[in-house]
């Protein structure tokens, strides 16, 4: 079967295809040793390719890379080492999006290419440290066991997403500690958008406060909370909010006491807050998969909503220009 696949791939490349998607997960591939050995012709003669998706492929022995038209590349559960990745990227002159999803054999991901603006990295299997050194990317999406990730230089990032699923409290703590492993003062992030889906755990406060102080725009979703006060104890610490954030959007069950505390915290400390939008929508900025749920709202009684609105409208505000919008 492998020979037939290789023949078909050679045929597709000769026909100068613009998009090539090879996914061998459905063929029963379950580990790195069972990946399909990808013929090097994909890289050496794929100068017409604009989109390349490789899933469960073994990428080795590349003679040369001539992917001059490639703009989007996705590698998922692929086997390749650092040198091979460097070689691939060096031959992609106009690449804009790079997705590296749960690949095997990588210990670093570094490039200076000014064309690559978006990077997505997913890690779900056990690996060593993965260093990311990409000073020109604007969008960064990290998902999975991000405690293994070392952000060496992502100084141009303006939009970042960090995601983990099905975490216990101890695992969540380890996940959020990735921020503690960064020297944020040296990285000098210029983020303009931050979405927080947070658990209410006190030892994460310093990192959260620091992130808030850098944001011009913040989106907050109430998700998981434990008992105890969260934001009321931070009033004296948040002079560092300074000029940020200027816009905030809160969505979900906005009548929960802990959410009210967070909103009051922003109003009291964000000196240059201009607009605060409070919504009962479950999803604020839906992805394509979430679009069908985009307009669904949390079921709240009129009495609870009215009580929350009245409390927030009389809450002290550090910014005279702050407007509260309910939707």
């Amino acid at each position: 079967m492998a020979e037939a696949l290789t023949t078909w791939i050679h045929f597709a490349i000769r026909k100068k295809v613009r998009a090539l998607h090879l996914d061998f997960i459905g063929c029963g591939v379950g580990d790195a040793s069972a990946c399909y050995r990808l013929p090097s012709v994909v890289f050496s003669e794929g100068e017409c390719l604009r989109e390349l998706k490789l899933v469960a492929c073994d990428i080795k022995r590349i003679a040369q890379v001539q992917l001059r038209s490639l703009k989007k590349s996705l590698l998922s559960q692929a086997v390749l080492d650092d040198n091979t990745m460097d070689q691939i990227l060096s031959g992609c002159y106009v690449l804009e999006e790079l997705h590296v999803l749960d690949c095997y054999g990588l210990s670093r991901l570094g490039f200076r290419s000014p064309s690559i603006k978006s990077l997505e990295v997913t890690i779900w299997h056990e690996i060593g440290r993965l260093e990311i050194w990409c000073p020109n990317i604007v969008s960064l999406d990290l998902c999975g066991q991000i405690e293994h990730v070392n952000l060496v230089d992502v100084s141009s990032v303006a939009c970042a997403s960090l995601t983990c699923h099905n975490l216990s409290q101890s695992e969540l703590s380890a996940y959020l500690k990735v921020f503690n492993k960064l020297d944020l003062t040296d990285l000098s992030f210029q983020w303009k958008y931050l979405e927080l889906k947070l658990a209410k755990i006190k030892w994460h406060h310093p990192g959260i406060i620091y992130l808030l102080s850098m944001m011009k725009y913040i989106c907050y979703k109430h998700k998981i909370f434990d008992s105890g006060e969260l934001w009321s104890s931070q009033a004296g610490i948040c002079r560092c909010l300074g000029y940020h954030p200027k816009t905030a959007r809160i969505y979900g069950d906005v009548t929960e006491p802990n959410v009210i505390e967070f909103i009051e915290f922003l109003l009291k400390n964000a000196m240059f807050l201009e607009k605060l939008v409070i919504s009962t929508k479950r999803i604020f900025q839906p992805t394509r998969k979430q679009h069908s749920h985009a307009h669904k709202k949390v079921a709240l009684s009129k009495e609870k909503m009215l009580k929350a609105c009245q409390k927030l409208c009389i809450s002290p505000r550090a910014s005279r220009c702050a407007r509260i919008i309910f939707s």
Side-chain angles (χ1 to χ4, degrees):
M1 182 177 178
E3 292 183 4
L5 286 171
T6 300
T7 301
W8 180 86
I9 291 172
H10 277 265
F11 174 79
I13 295 298
R14 285 199 305 272
K15 290 297 183 179
K16 300 186 182 301
V17 295
R18 295 186 177 185
L20 181 62
H21 294 185
L22 301 174
D23 188 339
F24 299 101
I25 292 295
C27 298
V29 176
D31 56 65
S33 62
C35 288
Y36 168 72
R37 179 66 63 85
L38 188 72
S40 60
V41 67
V42 172
F43 301 99
S44 61
E45 299 180 24
E47 63 272 5
C48 293
L49 285 172
R50 295 185 179 181
E51 183 173 320
L52 179 62
K53 176 181 177 181
L54 302 175
V55 182
C57 293
D58 188 352
I59 306 172
K60 294 180 179 178
R61 301 175 183 176
I62 301 177
Q64 59 179 338
V65 178
Q66 298 292 335
L67 299 175
R68 299 175 181 177
S69 303
L70 191 66
K71 291 190 175 183
K72 181 178 180 180
S73 177
L74 184 148
L75 305 176
S76 178
Q77 299 189 39
V79 179
L80 72 166
D81 57 25
D82 297 333
N83 293 331
T84 302
M85 177 61 82
D86 292 341
Q87 190 177 2
I88 293 173
L89 294 177
S90 66
C92 301
Y93 305 114
V94 295
L95 186 64
E96 298 176 355
E97 295 182 32
L98 177 61
H99 305 263
V100 181
L101 312 180
D102 215 22
C103 291
Y104 301 89
L106 291 176
S107 63
R108 74 171 188 274
L109 191 57
F111 49 85
R112 279 188 175 274
S113 173
S115 66
I116 304 178
K117 298 300 183 182
S118 177
L119 173 65
E120 178 184 7
V121 177
T122 298
I123 300 174
W124 289 115
H125 62 273
E126 292 293 334
I127 64 169
R129 303 293 299 175
L130 175 64
E131 292 188 350
I132 296 180
W133 184 82
C134 310
N136 294 320
I137 61 171
V138 176
S139 175
L140 175 64
D141 189 339
L142 298 180
C143 181
Q145 299 176 2
I146 65 171
E147 64 271 18
H148 296 297
V149 175
N150 182 22
L151 298 179
V152 179
D153 188 352
V154 287
S155 52
S156 297
V157 166
C159 179
S161 173
L162 307 177
T163 307
C164 284
H165 299 288
N166 301 322
L167 295 178
S168 65
Q169 182 169 324
S170 61
E171 289 171 332
L172 180 60
S173 176
Y175 155 60
L176 290 180
K177 282 181 181 178
V178 70
F179 289 107
N180 297 332
K181 296 175 182 178
L182 304 176
D183 187 348
L184 294 175
T185 56
D186 289 339
L187 285 174
S188 300
F189 288 120
Q190 297 298 317
W191 293 344
K192 295 182 180 178
Y193 176 89
L194 172 69
E195 179 171 351
L196 298 176
K197 298 180 181 179
L198 301 173
K200 194 182 80 170
I201 302 175
K202 292 182 179 180
W203 49 87
H204 296 145
H205 288 184
I208 296 170
I209 297 303
Y210 186 89
L211 290 174
L212 289 179
S213 70
M214 296 192 298
M215 296 301 106
K216 292 184 179 180
Y217 179 103
I218 179 171
C219 184
Y220 173 84
K221 179 179 180 180
H222 167 241
K223 191 174 183 182
I224 305 172
F225 290 104
D226 56 12
S227 60
E229 296 180 353
L230 175 59
W231 299 103
S232 59
S233 62
Q234 300 295 334
I237 300 177
C238 294
R239 296 174 184 174
C240 60
L241 283 178
Y243 291 95
H244 310 304
K246 293 185 177 181
T247 303
R249 299 180 185 269
I250 317 295
Y251 64 102
D253 190 350
V254 295
T255 62
E256 283 290 321
N258 295 311
V259 181
I260 297 296
E261 283 185 18
F262 177 73
I263 297 173
E264 290 178 328
F265 164 82
L266 283 178
L267 290 173
K268 291 178 183 178
N269 296 282
M271 295 183 292
F272 288 83
L273 183 67
E274 297 174 356
K275 183 169 66 173
L276 172 62
V277 180
I278 300 174
S279 174
T280 56
K281 289 182 180 180
R282 294 183 182 274
I283 300 171
F284 175 66
Q285 286 188 325
T287 62
R288 292 180 180 179
K289 293 181 179 179
Q290 298 170 326
H291 188 73
S292 60
H293 302 284
H295 301 292
K296 291 185 178 180
K297 295 189 175 184
V298 177
L300 299 174
S301 66
K302 292 183 179 179
E303 291 76 13
K304 289 184 66 175
M305 195 63 189
L306 179 61
K307 184 178 180 180
C309 292
Q310 290 174 338
K311 184 175 183 180
L312 293 175
C313 285
I314 62 174
S315 295
R317 305 181 193 182
S319 172
R320 295 180 179 180
C321 299
R323 295 180 297 124
I324 302 179
I325 301 173
F326 297 93
S327 65

